[in-house]
Amino acid sequence: MTLPLACFADLPSELFSAVLDEVDPEDLQSTTLALIKAIPNAPISAHHLFRHIRLTRQNQPWLLHQRVRLNQSQENGRTSQSVDPLWVRSFRWLGWTVDADVLINLLDILSGIQDLHINIGTTFAPEHLEDMFRNPRPHLQRLSLRFRPYFRQATYYQFLAGAYFDSFLDTLASWPETPSLTMLSIVQDPLPVFNLAEDAPAHALRPSMSFAQPIVFFSLDPITNLAKSPVARYVKHLRFRIPLRTVWNKICERNAFPSVEILDLSTSPVHREQAAAAILNGFPRLRHLLVDASGFGGLGPEQNEWRTLGRAMAMAGIKNAREKERELKNLDATEVHRILDNAGRRDEFADRGDNELSGTALEDEGRKEHPVPKTDRPARTLQLAKFRILPAYPHLLSISSALAPNQAEEGVPVDLELYAEQFSAGWTDGIARLREHRERAMAFSRSANVRVLRFDLHRNCDHEDSHGLGELVDVEEHGVDDLTADGSHTTPLICFGRERNPSQPGSNPALVPVHVPHKPGCGHALGRERWMPELHTVPAEPGLL
């Protein structure tokens, strides 16, 4: 027997809330709206409608702002038309034309947002972003901005007006430490290219036309300032997509985004083994690397490029260890030993849960000429004159590199399986060489005047540590525990899968790779799970304001 919808209006509100709590955040807004329309008298709390907001039409930010202001102006409590700002947990502006000032005023009221995505179109000026992010958001967990300084028509307006968004990066870099902010995405859309068969205006870009990529950031130096700022310290998932602009060399520096585990540099050039090795050394915690349409690896008959690339990435730790050894040679050995010993003692007290001795007290005690207690090893280290550092094994799990099909169309053979095999062979060879280097370094531990150190990923980065000594620990004291569980280092997963639908209007051929399936567990899958939804065309939502 089928019950009329009116019968559901008598159900308790807790039941509706329990059901809506299970709905995916991407669908909660539309699902709640549909449920309210289907059962008008049901006791459905309005906060489900505004917990995860998705706006696509130009007038929606103004209408939402009016309802939020209505809540603030009520003297006798909220009404059915008011919206409590504390209800909103995620906010996404997915349109391209909006009154930026209205959007700024709205976001100023919604102070408790945890997930924020903004499309930056032609109606935004750099001053708007400065105002929008001038005040830190201590509850923010995920920040995503997508720039498109054109709308189906390429333009040099930004260049002619000098309207660049460099100041936004400086504004964000001025934020204090924000432990909750673990995901940061800054994307510039590549130029759209329309086929003749599409319903595109006569002035739209055609495949045969040439137009320079519009510039969103005039200088990339502010990226380095942001990467080293306090707000970048806890970012684990980082995406910087700036077409045809080299970004990797701006973020591969000491103390730059020290916690990153997933890095997406798609559409930005990442060439050959030099950049790849620098990325692994710059992000020692890196697990997944996405470099779609970035010139990564190589195509055609030169399969040895993939073998060379695999070997260079596996051996990246050797170069890093040698550079660190050269740095230590230029420092006072006694001071280096003192800092390392004090750091080891901090770890010892932290492990024992002893909070009575602060880091400042340890530094003061270290400056005094008191012997370090507990063991004879620290006292002996003051006599050591040399340092050897164990090169770290790479922790990379996957590389995702969607390839463009235009090379295949030009007759260049593309054998993806062969590329993966060559990379694996080079990686295996590189790991073997790295292991030999570590064994030679460990042999120095038996020497009377050499102290062997290794990198420790479990330590938090100290922005005040200009020499990077805080990331080193003594092998004799801490052991060699940076191995995998089985002592092996498997070749990272190589995925050449396609990320965009080639039939999608406005899709860029540079992002349409050869038709191959994704590999399970690849970085593309993780990207879709964390930050890909806003990269796709979003249909207009039904009216809710």
Side-chain angles (χ1 to χ4, degrees), residues 33-253:
L33 182 64
L35 197 58
I36 292 175
K37 289 183 176 181
I39 316 175
N41 297 324
I44 301 174
S45 176
H47 84 271
H48 295 293
L49 190 61
F50 298 96
R51 189 192 309 169
H52 303 288
I53 295 179
R54 309 290 184 265
L55 304 183
T56 59
R57 296 198 299 273
Q58 184 174 357
N59 66 329
Q60 287 178 319
W62 183 83
L63 293 173
L64 179 58
H65 181 265
Q66 294 301 106
R67 294 190 63 169
V68 175
R69 289 290 302 273
L70 180 63
N71 174 80
Q72 293 183 327
S73 63
Q74 292 295 327
E75 297 181 358
N76 299 321
R78 294 191 297 268
T79 69
S80 60
Q81 297 298 319
S82 62
V83 177
D84 189 338
L86 297 180
W87 287 349
V88 182
R89 286 293 173 263
S90 69
F91 181 94
R92 294 191 182 185
W93 165 244
L94 301 172
W96 292 107
T97 304
V98 68
D99 187 328
D101 292 314
V102 171
L103 192 60
I104 292 171
N105 294 333
L106 174 60
L107 292 176
D108 283 343
I109 300 175
L110 305 179
S111 58
I113 292 177
Q114 299 174 356
D115 184 345
L116 178 61
H117 170 81
I118 303 294
N119 279 359
I120 310 298
T122 56
T123 58
F124 272 85
E127 293 77 13
H128 289 133
L129 277 191
E130 291 181 48
D131 293 339
M132 185 178 294
F133 293 97
R134 177 169 287 110
N135 298 321
R137 292 181 173 271
H139 305 293
L140 194 62
Q141 299 176 5
R142 179 184 184 277
L143 175 60
S144 174
L145 289 94
R146 180 183 178 188
F147 292 86
R148 183 187 289 178
Y150 39 78
F151 185 71
R152 293 182 71 90
Q153 179 180 2
T155 174
Y156 282 130
Y157 169 75
Q158 270 73 20
F159 174 77
L160 296 176
Y164 305 112
F165 290 88
D166 304 37
S167 58
F168 156 70
L169 299 175
D170 293 328
T171 301
L172 192 60
S174 67
W175 282 17
E177 280 191 8
T178 308
S180 61
L181 183 59
T182 58
M183 302 179 66
L184 177 62
S185 173
I186 298 177
V187 173
Q188 177 185 350
D189 279 8
L191 278 175
V193 178
F194 296 92
N195 296 322
L196 294 176
E198 294 181 4
D199 184 18
H203 53 258
L205 247 62
R206 309 290 177 171
S208 59
M209 298 174 63
S210 175
F211 195 91
Q213 182 71 42
I215 299 175
V216 170
F217 302 108
F218 183 79
S219 172
L220 298 183
D221 291 335
I223 294 180
T224 302
N225 298 332
L226 173 61
K228 294 183 176 182
S229 67
V231 73
R233 182 169 185 176
Y234 297 95
V235 174
K236 292 184 178 180
H237 315 302
L238 175 64
R239 181 172 64 180
F240 259 114
R241 291 186 176 184
I242 305 180
L244 305 181
R245 304 286 300 277
T246 302
V247 176
W248 67 266
N249 59 341
K250 300 297 181 180
I251 58 179
C252 292
E253 297 191 16

Side-chain angles (χ1 to χ4, degrees), residues 385-397:
K386 297 182 180 179
F387 300 94
R388 287 293 181 269
I389 298 178
L390 293 183
Y393 283 107
H395 292 75
L396 195 64
L397 299 179

Side-chain angles (χ1 to χ4, degrees), residues 288 397-398 493 519-523 525-526:
H288 303 276
L397 299 179
S398 75
L493 183 71
K519 297 290 183 67
C522 70
L526 292 173

Side-chain angles (χ1 to χ4, degrees), residues 8-27:
F8 292 97
D10 298 329
L11 295 175
S13 61
E14 292 80 6
L15 182 58
F16 285 102
S17 294
V19 172
L20 292 174
D21 286 342
E22 300 299 322
V23 177
D24 186 273
E26 296 295 326
D27 303 320

Side-chain angles (χ1 to χ4, degrees), residues 31 37 63 108 121 185 480 484 512 514 545:
T31 302
K37 289 183 176 181
L63 293 173
D108 283 343
S185 173
V480 183
T484 56
V512 183
V514 181
L545 297 173

Side-chain angles (χ1 to χ4, degrees), residues 487-498:
S488 63
H489 294 82
T490 308
T491 304
L493 183 71
I494 307 294
C495 178
F496 297 105
R498 175 174 51 82

Side-chain angles (χ1 to χ4, degrees), residues 24 26 92 142 183 239 241 262 264 290 292 400 495 497-500 516-536:
D24 186 273
E26 296 295 326
R92 294 191 182 185
R142 179 184 184 277
M183 302 179 66
R239 181 172 64 180
R241 291 186 176 184
I262 302 177
D264 186 345
L290 290 85
D292 297 339
S400 300
C495 178
R498 175 174 51 82
E499 194 53 50
R500 282 203 179 198
V516 291
H518 289 285
K519 297 290 183 67
C522 70
H524 289 138
L526 292 173
R528 284 193 299 270
E529 176 185 343
R530 287 168 169 81
W531 50 39
M532 286 305 292
E534 71 272 9
L535 278 185
H536 299 280

